[in-house]
Amino acid sequence: MKSNQILNQASVLVQGQREKDYGDKTENHNNIARLWSAYLEIKIEAHDVALMMALLKMARTKLGEVSKDTYIDMSAYSAIAGEIKF
């Protein structure tokens, strides 16, 4: 799978069915940040959530055999982090 295919699929995911399923991605990441902040008793921002989700996907690559979806999701979370930041 070529890098542009991974990025294209990630773009389709964050603007398509997942947005329909989960709502606005920034609002969703803000909600997650509030919950994580309360649980951890430290301030977490939506941007942090997206980056940590990308890290979660990276951690899965250490397990050995992973699906292409892991890399697509990793790209999607990175893009969401950028969108939230800028």
Side-chain angles (χ1 to χ4, degrees):
M1 179 172 244
K2 300 284 186 186
S3 59
N4 67 324
Q5 293 172 303
I6 292 171
L7 293 170
N8 287 337
Q9 286 191 16
S11 178
V12 168
L13 284 176
V14 299
Q15 297 175 38
Q17 190 59 47
R18 291 207 178 140
E19 190 162 31
K20 290 177 188 170
D21 291 343
Y22 305 119
D24 178 76
K25 54 192 159 297
T26 301
E27 184 178 331
N28 187 33
H29 282 70
N30 278 319
N31 289 336
I32 295 167
R34 283 191 292 277
L35 290 167
W36 286 4
S37 293
Y39 182 80
L40 296 170
E41 297 179 344
I42 61 170
K43 181 70 174 163
I44 303 287
E45 302 286 341
H47 180 256
D48 299 317
V49 171
L51 291 175
M52 287 189 286
M53 293 303 293
L55 289 171
L56 177 140
K57 296 297 181 174
M58 286 180 210
R60 287 188 180 165
T61 66
K62 302 291 280 179
L63 299 174
E65 195 67 31
V66 295
S67 75
K68 65 181 179 182
D69 290 342
T70 297
Y71 292 94
I72 293 167
D73 289 347
M74 197 182 330
S75 299
Y77 282 121
S78 183
I80 290 168
E83 182 176 327
I84 291 168
K85 185 73 170 179
F86 303 109

